[in-house]
Amino acid sequence: ILSIWGWGSLGIVLFLITFGPFVIFYLTFYILCFVGGGLVVTLLFGKTNSEKYLEQCEHSFLPPTSTGVPKCLEEMKREARTIKIDRRLTGANIIDEPLQQVIQFSLRDYVQYWYYTLSDDESFLLEIRQTLQNALIQFATRSKEIDWQPYFTTRIVDDFGTHLRVFRKAQQKITEKDDQVKGTAEDLVDTFFEVEVEMEKEVCRDLVCTSPKDEEGFLRDLCEVLLYLLLPPGDFQNKIMRYFVREILARGILLPLINQLSDPDYINQYVIWMIRDSNCNYEAFMNIIKLSDNIGELEAVRDKAAEELQYLRSLDTAGDDINTIKNQINSLLFVKKVCDSRIQRLQSGKEINTVKLAANFGKLCTVPLDSILVDNVALQFFMDYMQQTGGQAHLFFWMTVEGYRVTAQQQLEVLLSRQRDGKHQTNQTKGLLRAAAVGIYEQYLSEKASPRVTVDDYLVAKLADTLNHEDPTPEIFDDIQRKVYELMLRDERFYPSFRQNALYVRMLAELDMLKDPSFRGSDDGDGESFNGSPTGSINLSLDDLSNVSSDDSVQLHAYISDTGVCNDHGKTYALYAITVHRRNLNSEEMWKTYRRYSDFHDFHMRITEQFESLSSILKLPGKKTFNNMDRDFLEKRKKDLNAYLQLLLAPEMMKASPALAHYVYDFLENKAYSKGKGDFARKMDTFVNPLRNSMRNVSNAVKSLPDSLAEGMTKMSDNMGKMSERLGQDIKQSFFKVPPLIPKTDSDPEHRRVSAQLDDNVDDNIPLRVMLLLMDEVFDLKERNQWLRRNIKNLLQQLIRATYGDTINRKIVDHVDWMTSPEQVADSVKRFRDAFWPNGILAETVPCRDKSIRMRTRVAGKTKLLAIMPDELKHIIGAETTRKGILRVFEMFQHNQLNRRMVYVFLEGFLETLFPQYKFRELFNKLHSRSKQMQKYKQKLQTTQAPSLQKR
């Protein structure tokens, strides 16, 4: 150890002696300089190598081109590569040509006008065009693979019927909230979407239909999904291109189209255009005015009438034109007066329920019991009343016996026919009739029957003995049925009390045999009276101004002043000009009206049906066909009809039948004569009354129907035996059950979609299902008893099968094929092109039409719809029900938000049909998930389910 320290110390001493005491500082400085120099050299070397490496990296992913701004400019000016575009889209030239024009116009008006301010390069536009064409090609290819028949015949009808059901229930909710305060349009829209979420359970479209911002977002999302499905992956991944196409579709095409389709004014104009061939009906127009509860409509009509009055009064005419102008002025004054009266009544709040008011007055038309029992509409009201009074067993017994009689007659005729033909026939038919007769006896007459029909015991015993020892005949129940009829007719509990019941007044309204009350006297409502009339109509509202009266102070005289021959669409007929004079204490009026012989014939049938005593007094000259309208024939017919009018207007005749005056005034009024039952309507009675007329009368009616219908119905007679056997089996089965008056369902059908209500036992007959579906919802037939609904179904089924048989299914399929044919698709594309780009120029935004014009369009639309409703439909379901149903449908289309909802429902159904393999239903539920009504509904469900979960 000592040697180490010794040698170390010696070395240090020698070092200091040799280099001096400052050597340590020099050594430290040298070391620092060496390290610093090394760092500087390393930094410079690394920088140079890094720059070279980065330059190599940049150029490795780009084509080797010369750098510099001049080279870039040279490349931009170089001619772009030509992109070849195939103009084929759908494979049909007639469709491709207008589609190419639509694409060209869309790019020109939505892209080119701003793109050319940025660049002249055409490649971007060509790429967009290619993208649109790829989407259309995929869309066309997919459309060809789809069977569109279920969508057009079932899905779209179901969506429309469900939309109408939601609207009807929303109206009912508004009415139930407060009968005195009328809900606003906003309240109706809110209530509509509340009902929608209750029915749909999983979706509500309130945000899309009421918020423009949410609607645009919905369309963008939907278009992006469609582009994902239709575009090649490479095109879809190009975000810039995808966003451009999405905006063009959403903002440039879909949104304007939806705005137009949901515009109530556009729909009203379209309705008028669709039924443009139907002439405006004066009576329908006045009914709409008198029924309107929209002051804006009434004011618009009144102002237009005043404008026309000023124009007519300014004319300087002479001669025959004066009478024409005077008649026009009187008509306009009448319209103006009706509008003023109606406006005043609405503003004063004096609107009164006509049926309720009529029930308090005794001047009502008398409908005989036998007429009620054979009229489909009247019978349902009498059935409801008999159920209330506990007499339904008597009515059902009468109806069942009636059905048994006609069925037994038909069965026996078939049996005799087969025996004459030598065909082997078993006792199956007689056994079936016996079982049916015994079933009637056990159901209504035996001691075990509950309830039991009360008739004389000896009649029941006689019937029982006949059933035990003889074969049943069609007339086996006639004596007891006659007694039951007399009981219903005479017993104060039944028909006499029914005539004093509100149901009787409602029945008259449905039969169009009720006239609204007229208010006369002071403005505060004093002096109101009700004028009952079998020829009036409930659609003649409370402010009826016709002042028709059978007062002795009014004298009426009419005669045929001239005859002429008219030719209408190749049919030649005689026309009679009737000059009418009416005098009262203060004034005298004269006018001319024109009637055909068919009008006289219908008028005569109407009054003789209502007043049986007139049938033996009044004789109308018989109908006669002739080839040439010779003057001798016309003069003789004129003389006979004049004699008929003089006898009809005799004071003794009017005094003997005071209610006859209303018929006469209606017939002689200067307006188009509204016939009661036309020829077809009278023949339709055999269908409407299936109980009394049965199959035999159906076949008889077929023989007298027009040729166009009879040719299709000849098939009925061939299968009459099978139909009769089936009817007998149905009657046999129904005898052992009390006919259901109230349908029993596990859940409320009103809170489900319409398609859930399709009867499972209905044949796979598209027309029948569609007609039942629409009639149920449009006319609210589910509110009626099941007997009426079953009869309407049977009526439609018989009409469809009798008229066309099973071929009507083929016709509907053919019609759907025609709608989706290349010609019709091309026509639709052309209409779309011409609507958006008339003459190749983008259509300007249509200015909002004046409110008065829109209101008058509403009146015209309602008038057209009401005028085209056939009388046959009114006789089947009732006049008042028909009017309410048609006006409900029209009112549904007067709300923009509700129309948008229907358009989106149709669009969703279309896409679900087009892409069945994709979960579009779940997608739409997610897109609509932010609905406020949906959130409220879920909270309500959680609130109602919480107590039940706690109990568990």
Side-chain angles (χ1 to χ4, degrees):
I1 295 174
L2 293 176
S3 61
I4 293 174
W5 282 104
W7 284 105
S9 300
L10 178 63
I12 292 172
V13 171
L14 292 175
F15 181 80
L16 291 175
I17 294 172
T18 303
F19 297 100
F22 298 100
V23 67
I24 297 176
F25 298 102
Y26 294 124
L27 183 61
T28 304
F29 176 75
Y30 293 151
I31 294 174
L32 291 175
C33 289
F34 176 78
V35 173
L39 293 175
V40 171
V41 172
T42 302
L43 179 62
L44 293 176
F45 179 79
K47 179 181 178 183
T48 302
N49 289 341
S50 297
E51 290 176 352
K52 292 181 180 181
Y53 179 76
L54 288 175
E55 185 177 358
Q56 292 176 359
C57 291
E58 290 177 358
H59 290 283
S60 63
F61 298 101
L62 296 174
T65 58
S66 301
T67 59
V69 175
K71 188 64 178 178
C72 291
L73 293 176
E74 182 180 353
E75 290 290 336
M76 293 176 65
K77 292 179 180 180
R78 187 176 301 173
E79 184 178 358
R81 180 177 56 89
T82 303
I83 300 178
K84 295 182 179 180
I85 295 181
D86 190 352
R87 299 183 63 85
R88 293 175 298 178
L89 297 176
T90 64
N93 292 331
I94 57 176
I95 301 178
D96 294 345
E97 182 179 352
L99 266 181
Q100 288 289 352
Q101 292 178 344
V102 169
I103 294 175
Q104 178 63 35
F105 293 155
S106 300
L107 294 176
R108 181 195 66 189
D109 296 325
Y110 294 110
V111 178
Q112 291 180 4
Y113 81 95
W114 58 264
Y115 177 74
Y116 282 141
T117 62
L118 303 177
S119 173
D120 295 331
D121 186 14
E122 297 284 344
S123 60
F124 177 74
L125 299 177
L126 294 176
E127 290 290 348
I128 292 183
R129 188 187 188 99
Q130 186 66 49
T131 302
L132 287 174
Q133 291 196 172
N134 290 337
L136 288 174
I137 291 172
Q138 292 296 324
F139 179 84
T141 303
R142 185 62 194 161
S143 298
K144 295 176 183 178
E145 300 172 356
I146 299 299
D147 179 14
W148 291 105
Q149 178 190 338
Y151 174 74
F152 286 107
T153 59
T154 304
R155 174 62 186 266
I156 200 169
V157 179
D158 173 38
D159 290 337
F160 177 80
T162 302
H163 185 84
L164 181 59
R165 172 178 290 182
V166 175
F167 179 77
R168 174 170 53 83
K169 291 181 66 65
Q171 282 186 321
Q172 293 174 355
K173 274 195 171 185
I174 292 291
T175 304
E176 293 171 358
K177 286 181 180 179
D178 195 340
D179 293 335
Q180 303 298 326
V181 180
K182 183 179 178 181
T184 62
E186 291 76 10
D187 295 336
L188 179 61
V189 171
D190 293 340
T191 307
F192 178 91
F193 288 110
E194 289 179 7
V195 177
E196 181 194 20
V197 72
E198 292 176 359
M199 184 172 296
E200 297 283 357
K201 309 296 184 185
E202 298 178 350
V203 65
C204 184
R205 303 169 181 85
D206 55 337
L207 279 183
V208 175
C209 299
T210 57
S211 172
K213 182 178 179 181
D214 290 300
E215 182 180 19
E216 292 180 6
F218 172 81
L219 289 177
R220 288 193 183 99
D221 294 339
L222 183 60
C223 289
E224 192 147 356
V225 172
L226 293 177
L227 292 177
Y228 173 77
L229 298 176
L230 298 175
L231 292 180
D235 291 342
F236 182 79
Q237 295 300 329
N238 189 336
K239 292 186 177 181
I240 297 178
M241 193 73 65
R242 185 172 81 237
Y243 290 161
F244 270 112
V245 176
R246 184 192 69 181
E247 290 300 312
I248 291 175
L249 292 176
R251 297 290 304 275
I253 297 178
L254 287 181
L255 190 59
L257 182 62
I258 292 172
N259 289 336
Q260 185 177 27
L261 294 178
S262 59
D263 181 16
D265 189 51
Y266 172 80
I267 295 176
N268 296 339
Q269 295 179 65
Y270 188 75
V271 167
I272 296 174
W273 178 82
M274 285 287 292
I275 51 181
R276 60 191 179 279
D277 295 333
S278 173
N279 295 326
C280 283
N281 186 289
Y282 167 80
E283 183 178 1
F285 171 70
M286 293 309 303
N287 290 340
I288 291 299
I289 294 298
K290 295 175 181 180
L291 282 172
S292 176
D293 57 358
N294 189 311
I295 296 179
E297 294 179 358
L298 298 170
E299 290 177 344
V301 174
R302 180 194 61 186
D303 295 343
K304 188 63 177 179
E307 180 182 338
E308 291 294 326
L309 279 172
Q310 291 180 356
Y311 170 74
L312 291 175
R313 286 169 175 167
S314 65
L315 296 178
D316 185 12
T317 57
D320 296 336
D321 293 340
I322 294 180
N323 294 330
T324 303
I325 292 177
K326 284 183 177 179
N327 290 335
Q328 293 177 356
I329 290 176
N330 290 334
S331 298
L332 290 172
L333 287 173
F334 178 75
V335 171
K336 186 173 180 295
K337 190 175 181 181
V338 170
C339 292
D340 288 333
S341 177
R342 185 67 177 163
I343 291 172
Q344 182 180 2
R345 188 172 305 284
L346 290 174
Q347 291 177 342
S348 61
K350 291 183 179 180
E351 189 68 15
I352 295 177
N353 187 307
T354 306
V355 175
K356 290 182 179 179
L357 181 61
N360 298 326
F361 293 85
K363 290 185 178 181
L364 297 175
C365 176
T366 299
V367 181
L369 178 60
D370 55 353
S371 299
I372 292 176
L373 293 176
V374 297
D375 186 274
N376 199 57
V377 176
L379 182 57
Q380 57 136 341
F381 288 99
F382 187 59
M383 188 182 297
D384 291 342
Y385 175 77
M386 293 294 282
Q387 182 190 14
Q388 294 177 6
T389 58
Q392 67 268 28
H394 298 79
L395 179 59
F396 287 142
F397 172 78
W398 188 94
M399 294 166 59
T400 304
V401 170
E402 197 72 13
Y404 168 81
R405 180 192 300 109
V406 292
T407 304
Q409 291 174 352
Q410 187 65 45
Q411 293 277 8
L412 293 177
E413 286 183 3
V414 174
L415 176 62
L416 292 175
S417 175
R418 291 181 176 179
Q419 289 177 347
R420 285 195 299 268
D421 295 340
K423 296 181 180 180
H424 179 70
Q425 177 66 35
T426 64
N427 293 326
Q428 178 182 2
T429 301
K430 292 183 179 180
L432 176 63
L433 293 178
R434 178 180 296 279
V438 172
I440 296 175
Y441 175 83
E442 295 291 340
Q443 180 70 33
Y444 297 104
L445 301 173
S446 67
E447 295 181 356
K448 299 179 181 179
S450 178
R452 184 171 183 264
V453 176
T454 56
V455 292
D456 296 338
D457 292 338
Y458 79 92
L459 291 176
V460 178
K462 180 181 177 182
L463 173 64
D465 183 67
T466 302
L467 289 174
N468 291 329
H469 299 91
E470 300 178 13
D471 290 335
T473 63
E475 299 80 15
I476 192 172
F477 292 100
D478 282 4
D479 293 338
I480 299 180
Q481 186 191 31
R482 193 177 302 109
K483 288 290 184 181
V484 171
Y485 176 84
E486 293 177 358
L487 178 65
M488 292 189 296
L489 180 65
R490 311 293 181 190
D491 196 317
E492 289 295 331
R493 297 174 298 166
F494 304 140
Y495 176 69
S497 298
F498 173 63
R499 290 183 54 191
Q500 308 298 323
N501 193 275
L503 286 173
Y504 183 78
V505 182
R506 290 177 54 194
M507 181 194 74
L508 293 180
E510 292 292 357
L511 296 175
D512 221 4
M513 301 173 67
L514 183 68
K515 186 176 181 180
D516 274 3
S518 299
F519 286 85
R520 302 180 180 89
S522 61
D523 293 336
D524 57 2
D526 295 337
E528 64 184 34
S529 62
F530 178 81
N531 297 329
S533 168
T535 59
S537 170
I538 199 168
N539 57 18
L540 300 176
S541 64
L542 300 176
D543 45 8
D544 177 44
L545 300 172
S546 59
N547 294 330
V548 174
S549 174
S550 59
D551 194 346
D552 295 337
S553 62
V554 177
Q555 298 179 3
L556 194 67
H557 179 65
Y559 63 94
I560 298 177
S561 57
D562 196 7
T563 60
V565 178
C566 295
N567 188 287
D568 184 17
H569 300 288
K571 295 182 180 179
T572 303
Y573 56 87
L575 194 65
Y576 303 93
I578 306 176
T579 302
V580 185
H581 293 268
R582 182 170 63 183
R583 300 184 183 90
N584 55 30
L585 298 177
N586 300 322
S587 62
E588 178 179 351
E589 294 180 80
M590 185 190 75
W591 66 86
K592 280 189 177 183
T593 187
Y594 298 89
R595 296 287 181 259
R596 298 174 56 178
Y597 176 82
S598 60
D599 298 331
F600 278 95
H601 184 265
D602 184 87
F603 169 72
H604 179 75
M605 293 187 67
R606 182 184 292 187
I607 61 175
T608 52
E609 287 177 359
Q610 187 62 36
F611 307 96
E612 296 181 359
S613 59
L614 297 181
S615 58
S616 60
I617 303 174
L618 291 172
K619 299 296 182 182
L620 185 70
K623 184 176 182 181
K624 181 180 178 181
T625 58
F626 46 89
N627 296 327
N628 53 345
M629 294 285 184
D630 57 279
R631 299 303 304 177
D632 294 338
F633 174 84
L634 293 178
E635 288 298 328
K636 184 179 183 303
R637 177 58 60 85
K638 172 183 174 182
K639 181 179 178 181
D640 294 339
L641 291 178
N642 270 327
Y644 178 84
L645 288 175
Q646 298 308 316
L647 182 60
L648 178 67
L649 297 175
E652 297 79 8
M653 184 78 70
M654 304 296 272
K655 289 181 179 180
S657 303
L660 179 63
H662 298 280
Y663 287 91
V664 176
Y665 283 124
D666 181 68
F667 180 71
L668 297 178
E669 191 173 353
N670 186 17
K671 66 176 183 179
Y673 180 59
S674 177
K675 294 185 179 181
K677 287 187 178 181
D679 293 337
F680 186 74
R682 298 179 189 281
K683 294 161 190 171
M684 281 279 294
D685 288 342
T686 57
F687 290 102
V688 178
N689 305 318
L691 295 175
R692 169 162 290 185
N693 301 301
S694 187
M695 294 301 176
R696 174 184 297 174
N697 289 348
V698 169
S699 60
N700 294 335
V702 170
K703 299 176 183 178
S704 60
L705 285 172
D707 294 339
S708 60
L709 186 61
E711 291 175 359
M713 298 183 71
T714 53
K715 300 177 182 178
M716 284 193 65
S717 58
D718 299 336
N719 298 325
M720 191 64 70
K722 296 179 181 179
M723 296 174 69
S724 300
E725 292 177 5
R726 185 175 58 196
L727 180 61
Q729 294 172 1
D730 294 340
I731 290 179
K732 176 185 175 182
Q733 295 175 1
S734 64
F735 288 157
F736 296 96
K737 301 178 183 179
V738 178
L741 290 177
I742 302 176
K744 297 180 180 180
T745 56
D746 297 331
S747 60
D748 186 4
E750 288 292 294
H751 287 84
R752 292 184 291 173
R753 291 184 61 86
V754 171
S755 58
Q757 294 303 109
L758 287 175
D759 297 333
D760 295 333
N761 59 346
V762 176
D763 299 351
D764 188 19
N765 193 315
I766 296 173
L768 179 62
R769 292 191 297 156
V770 170
M771 293 175 70
L772 283 176
L773 199 67
L774 291 179
M775 289 189 70
D776 274 347
E777 294 308 317
V778 172
F779 303 108
D780 199 10
L781 296 182
K782 287 185 173 61
E783 295 298 323
R784 309 294 188 88
N785 56 51
Q786 290 299 297
W787 177 87
L788 172 67
R789 189 169 182 270
R790 185 167 58 250
N791 277 355
I792 292 175
K793 183 190 74 173
N794 293 337
L795 164 68
L796 295 175
Q797 196 167 12
Q798 290 177 14
L799 284 178
I800 291 172
R801 288 179 175 174
T803 307
Y804 300 105
D806 294 333
T807 60
I808 194 168
N809 282 331
R810 181 177 298 277
K811 289 186 177 183
I812 287 190
V813 173
D814 293 341
H815 184 70
V816 173
D817 292 339
W818 174 78
M819 290 173 57
T820 56
S821 64
E823 293 78 8
Q824 289 303 310
V825 173
D827 186 63
S828 300
V829 175
K830 290 177 182 178
R831 287 201 300 266
F832 174 80
R833 177 200 62 192
D834 295 338
F836 276 78
W837 293 278
N839 299 321
I841 301 174
L842 182 63
E844 298 180 358
T845 303
V846 179
C848 185
R849 300 203 306 166
D850 184 73
K851 180 181 178 182
S852 60
I853 298 178
R854 288 186 281 115
M855 290 295 105
R856 289 198 296 271
T857 304
R858 286 182 51 154
V859 174
K862 287 192 285 187
T863 302
K864 284 276 192 178
L865 285 175
L866 199 61
I868 65 171
M869 286 299 106
D871 291 335
E872 290 78 13
L873 182 62
K874 299 177 183 178
H875 297 153
I876 294 173
I877 63 177
E880 182 67 7
T881 299
T882 302
R883 276 189 292 270
K884 286 183 178 179
I886 294 302
L887 294 180
R888 180 188 297 117
V889 174
F890 185 86
E891 180 63 26
M892 181 184 69
F893 288 114
Q894 305 312 305
H895 303 274
N896 186 285
Q897 297 92 334
L898 307 190
N899 295 337
R900 301 184 94 84
R901 187 261 180 192
M902 188 165 59
V903 172
Y904 282 116
V905 168
F906 289 161
L907 177 61
E908 292 172 10
F910 175 81
L911 294 177
E912 290 177 23
T913 305
L914 186 63
F915 302 101
Q917 71 274 29
Y918 301 108
K919 299 179 180 180
F920 261 94
R921 171 50 50 196
E922 297 180 5
L923 172 65
F924 288 129
N925 290 345
K926 292 179 180 179
L927 293 178
H928 296 301
S929 60
R930 295 188 299 109
S931 166
K932 297 180 181 178
Q933 294 291 351
M934 194 69 202
Q935 295 174 1
K936 291 181 182 178
Y937 178 73
K938 290 181 178 179
Q939 293 177 356
K940 181 179 177 181
L941 284 180
Q942 294 176 357
T943 304
T944 55
Q945 293 175 357
S948 59
L949 294 176
Q950 292 177 357
K951 291 180 180 180
R952 293 181 183 179

